[in-house]
Amino acid sequence: MIALLYQLADDELVIGHRDSEWLGLAPHIEEDVAFSSIAQDEVGHAALFFRLLEELGQGRADDLAFLRPAGRRRNAVLLERPNGPGTYLDEPRFDWAYTVVRRLAYDLFDAIRLEVLCSSSYAPLAQAAAKVRREERYHLLHHTTWFRRLATGTDESRRRLEAAVAAVWPDVGGLFTPGEVAPGPHFPVRPDELAGRWAERMAPLFAEVGLTWPGRPESAAAPGADGRLGQHTPDLEGLLSTMGEVYRTAPGAAW
Amino acid sequence: MVTEGAIWAALADVRDPEIPPVSIVDMGMVHRVTVAGPRVRVEIMPTFVGCPALEIIRRDAEDRLRAVPGVEEVEVAFVLDPPWSSDRITAEGRRRLRSFGIAPPPPGSAGAPLLPAPEEVPACPYCGSTDTHLENLFGPTACRSIYYCDGCRQPFERMKRV
């Protein structure tokens, strides 16, 4: 139960932080508004899952969010990858197509995970999942729309989308690895079932826009990079350092 | 003697900080009020989980309820079960949303497709035209989308269906 909540909280917090890095850099102002809103949703969901961990005696929710080192994080590696070359403050040459494909892959995974969690035997989690799911529907629709738009836009947008699919795919399997979570009443589904359901719903979208289907992802991370087991890239260290800077500098600050 | 009615009446004074004409009662956010002598417990359903106005709402509700004669202890709890839905916005809440330039979603639309069918696009809250289109699924707060009215050529917002 606790291991599952860490996966949920860490996934949402890390992708929410990556989303927030698009502020001021998104393709147009509407997208700036959208990504700020999406980032706020995700960080809000993370806060909810961290509060459930706090209620289970894991420590203060804010400490869990900001102070745990990379080795104790359980997010999938796909979500910690940077948005592109450069950093937010220094020459950000972020890759919009990568962000769209990564988000779509994650949103679909998250939608299926939340469907499963709505029937979790742990009532606080089932209730949280039912609530969060209503909000996540908007994210999945948004990124599906962007995927179609890039696929059917110009030669350049399609080329960039294909490159993004190739870059994202090796990390997709890492979404499904179970880490310390065993299927049971709290989470009644097997990892390979999850991956199967994901592929059943993703493949038709590729067919619709005439993109080559890269194949069903296996429920396996790249060697040495299973985020569900605390194995991460240096990019997560950088993200955590930025994200927790204010919290470490001024503990207890309120604003 | 504190009555439930007095508590509900006091909660009708607690505004949504991001939509001041609308109270948390109008928004259908109050799930339950329990009164036990001088102790009051109120259960509030967040509209969106990450809404940054929640702590302000909690503080405003506590302050307002402490001012009710006879009340000594106040507890405001956020609950996720049942989940808030845009269907819970009252008729008065819908009227006040429109007066603030926000189109309410039609009643009974929770769980409906997120993109309205052409025949059910929202009417512009300023001029009433239904010649409107979606500009952005996401808006200035988590709970709103942005539309544009081709009748009076103004952007307006709409509460998301959830």
Side-chain angles (χ1 to χ4, degrees):
Chain A
M1 184 61 237
I2 285 170
L4 177 59
L5 283 169
Y6 274 115
Q7 291 184 12
L8 287 158
D10 288 343
D11 276 357
E12 295 281 274
L13 186 63
V14 167
I15 194 67
H17 185 83
R18 285 294 182 224
D19 292 342
S20 76
E21 292 178 323
W22 278 103
L23 181 62
L25 302 171
H28 48 64
I29 193 165
E30 285 82 4
E31 202 51 40
D32 242 23
V33 171
F35 255 62
S36 301
S37 193
I38 292 168
Q40 185 185 324
D41 283 344
E42 301 296 35
V43 174
H45 300 162
L48 167 60
F49 294 126
F50 281 125
R51 280 200 300 277
L52 292 179
L53 282 163
E54 181 174 313
E55 286 165 16
L56 291 170
Q58 291 292 297
R60 293 184 56 233
D62 285 347
D63 290 348
L64 297 176
F66 293 119
L67 298 183
R68 281 180 306 131
R72 291 185 53 206
R73 304 275 169 166
R74 292 296 182 264
N75 62 278
V77 164
L78 173 65
L79 310 179
E80 74 203 39
R81 300 279 187 204
N83 292 316
T87 67
Y88 186 74
L89 293 175
D90 189 23
E91 299 276 326
R93 298 184 189 284
F94 291 171
D95 182 340
W96 183 247
Y98 179 81
T99 289
V100 167
V101 177
R102 174 197 9 218
R103 287 273 3 180
L104 177 62
Y106 175 64
D107 287 335
L108 182 57
F109 162 74
D110 198 33
I112 296 167
R113 175 168 62 177
L114 290 167
E115 283 167 24
V116 171
L117 287 172
C118 284
S119 55
S120 170
S121 63
Y122 184 58
L125 180 54
Q127 290 166 10
K131 177 69 183 161
V132 167
R133 193 177 162 199
R134 288 163 178 253
E135 302 180 11
E136 293 287 357
R137 292 205 305 156
Y138 282 90
H139 302 183
L140 181 57
L141 173 62
H142 187 66
H143 296 115
T144 305
T145 304
W146 262 111
F147 185 85
R148 286 196 179 102
R149 185 179 296 162
L150 294 182
T152 57
T154 63
D155 288 347
E156 184 183 356
S157 72
R158 193 172 172 95
R159 184 171 48 73
R160 288 184 180 223
L161 188 70
E162 286 169 343
V165 169
V168 163
W169 227 253
D171 284 334
V172 170
L175 289 167
F176 302 97
T177 59
E180 297 104 342
V181 176
H186 294 325
F187 191 55
V189 68
R190 292 193 322 272
D192 56 326
E193 258 181 77
L194 265 188
R197 288 189 207 175
W198 186 91
E200 268 169 32
R201 281 159 69 173
M202 186 65 90
L205 183 59
F206 276 69
E208 177 197 316
V209 297
L211 277 183
T212 307
W213 172 241
R216 177 190 151 157
E218 293 306 317
S219 153
D226 188 347
R228 305 289 188 221
L229 295 175
Q231 300 162 352
H232 294 285
T233 64
D235 293 317
L236 183 63
E237 305 268 3
L239 182 154
L240 295 176
S241 164
T242 302
M243 191 174 66
E245 192 175 346
V246 173
Y247 193 74
R248 290 189 309 272
T249 307
W255 60 85
Chain B
M1 175 71 186
V2 182
T3 64
E4 268 189 40
I7 298 303
W8 278 96
L11 290 170
D13 292 338
V14 178
R15 310 271 141 206
D16 181 324
E18 287 170 333
I19 316 172
V22 182
S23 79
I24 60 173
V25 176
D26 294 329
M27 284 291 282
M29 292 174 69
V30 181
H31 173 49
R32 191 180 315 181
V33 168
T34 323
V35 178
R39 286 190 299 278
V40 176
R41 176 181 159 90
V42 177
E43 293 179 5
I44 295 179
M45 296 170 278
T47 53
F48 274 66
V49 170
C51 176
L54 291 176
E55 284 309 313
I56 299 172
I57 290 173
R58 184 206 296 275
R59 187 198 63 201
D60 290 352
E62 286 173 352
D63 290 350
R64 179 64 190 87
L65 294 178
R66 284 203 193 92
V68 174
V71 170
E72 287 173 17
E73 269 180 51
V74 176
E75 182 191 359
V76 172
F78 289 112
V79 296
L80 297 174
D81 185 37
W84 180 83
S85 150
S86 43
D87 287 345
R88 293 186 56 97
I89 305 171
T90 65
E92 178 62 11
R94 287 166 196 278
R95 194 188 63 74
R96 291 183 179 180
L97 279 171
R98 273 191 290 270
S99 77
F100 194 62
I102 300 176
S109 64
L114 300 181
L115 296 177
E119 67 276 12
E120 50 167 19
V121 292
C124 171
Y126 298 112
C127 73
S129 167
T130 50
D131 189 9
T132 65
H133 67 264
L134 179 68
E135 279 277 298
N136 195 345
L137 205 49
F138 298 90
T141 69
C143 56
R144 304 183 224 169
S145 301
I146 301 175
Y147 280 75
Y148 189 81
C149 175
D150 295 298
C152 67
R153 303 198 172 193
Q154 288 206 76
F156 66 93
E157 293 165 13
R158 186 200 208 190
M159 294 290 295
K160 281 183 190 158
R161 300 168 155 184
V162 288

